[in-house]
Amino acid sequence: MLIERPPSLYRLLFPEALWRLKRRGRRVVYLTFDDGPIPEVTPWVLDELDRHNVRATFFLVGDNVRRNPWLLEEIKRRGHSYGNHTMHHIQGLHSSRLRYMRDITEADHLIESPLFRPPHGLLWGGQAKAIKSKYNLVMYDVITRDYNRKLSPQRVYANVRRYVRNGSIIVFHDSLKAEHNMKYALPRAIRWLKMQGYEFDVLPM
């Protein structure tokens, strides 16, 4: 549970971040996808979301956008929101504040979004404050762990059912590492969430 739902103590370390977004009078969840866009996986995700009439938010690695600018345009065209996930998918804990902010800024030249999510959800407090001065820092309420190849697709799907709640920001990945688990869990999770009365929305930009 410490991974699938970040504990309250960790959330308190970053009060400037968005972890969950409840809407008055509505049961809403927010699907998000990290680490894309890549031609091997992202088009499938976009088609699947269209099939279920669902909109989501994509946190994009700048270097992937540089190689596949058409995929960012497709994300926009289909009505999804999108954010910055650094240029080279670097982890804040392993970077100086200056290097980290330079990497984010490099990605921003390609992505141009007010939303930012740190890779792995890990960064230093000084980095968080610097980011918050320019971007909306977005974390998450549920991590599906679709990237973990030691987990079965069924377990990934079960993680959504077990930990989701009203206002949850849910993390999937449109990456090669997560592809097998995500392709199994995503459509099932969408159907189950709809059966529970949840609506889907994008994170506002």
Side-chain angles (χ1 to χ4, degrees):
M1 180 174 177
L2 292 179
I3 297 177
E4 289 86 353
R5 176 177 288 164
S8 298
L9 181 60
Y10 188 65
R11 297 175 193 236
L12 290 174
L13 295 175
F14 302 102
E16 58 275 280
L18 178 64
W19 297 89
R20 187 179 173 202
L21 185 58
K22 296 173 69 174
R23 296 287 179 89
R24 187 184 300 273
R26 297 171 60 195
R27 298 189 77 200
V28 183
V29 293
Y30 303 85
L31 293 180
T32 67
F33 295 86
D34 288 4
D35 298 358
I38 59 172
E40 298 88 346
V41 182
T42 305
W44 183 92
V45 172
L46 292 171
D47 289 345
E48 193 66 24
L49 294 173
D50 279 353
R51 189 171 294 115
H52 294 280
N53 194 28
V54 166
R55 297 295 172 264
T57 303
F58 290 78
F59 286 93
L60 310 170
V61 174
D63 202 42
N64 287 337
V65 174
R66 179 185 61 79
R67 289 193 295 263
N68 308 289
W70 63 276
L71 280 173
L72 173 54
E73 295 308 311
E74 192 65 11
I75 287 167
K76 295 178 183 179
R77 187 183 72 80
R78 300 204 197 189
H80 305 288
S81 64
Y82 52 93
N84 187 328
H85 201 48
T86 74
M87 186 68 188
H88 301 101
H89 200 260
I90 62 173
Q91 189 182 116
L93 296 186
H94 299 154
S95 307
S96 69
R97 182 168 64 179
L98 180 60
R99 178 179 176 235
Y100 199 59
M101 293 306 298
R102 281 177 176 170
D103 205 78
I104 294 169
T105 300
E106 185 179 357
D108 186 50
H109 293 322
L110 296 167
I111 298 167
E112 297 182 331
S113 169
L115 305 179
F116 173 78
R117 173 180 282 161
H120 311 293
L122 300 172
L123 71 170
W124 298 108
Q127 293 168 338
K129 290 179 181 178
I131 290 164
K132 187 60 180 176
S133 70
K134 298 183 66 175
Y135 305 94
N136 295 323
L137 179 58
V138 180
M139 291 293 204
Y140 39 78
D141 190 52
V142 179
I143 301 177
T144 64
R145 299 186 70 194
D146 54 351
Y147 56 82
N148 190 335
R149 291 175 175 171
K150 294 181 180 179
L151 296 185
S152 69
Q154 293 80 8
R155 170 67 185 279
V156 172
Y157 172 39
N159 284 340
V160 176
R161 289 180 292 152
R162 180 176 180 183
Y163 294 105
V164 73
R165 54 186 172 172
N166 189 24
S168 283
I169 298 172
I170 304 170
V171 180
F172 283 95
H173 294 78
D174 52 330
S175 67
L176 292 174
K177 182 187 293 186
E179 180 180 13
H180 177 67
N181 284 341
M182 183 273 295
K183 285 186 173 180
Y184 175 92
L186 178 63
R188 289 166 175 81
I190 291 173
R191 288 193 293 267
W192 182 84
L193 288 163
K194 285 186 173 183
M195 288 175 60
Q196 306 308 305
Y198 286 103
E199 302 174 38
F200 298 82
D201 207 347
V202 299
L203 295 173
M205 294 178 61

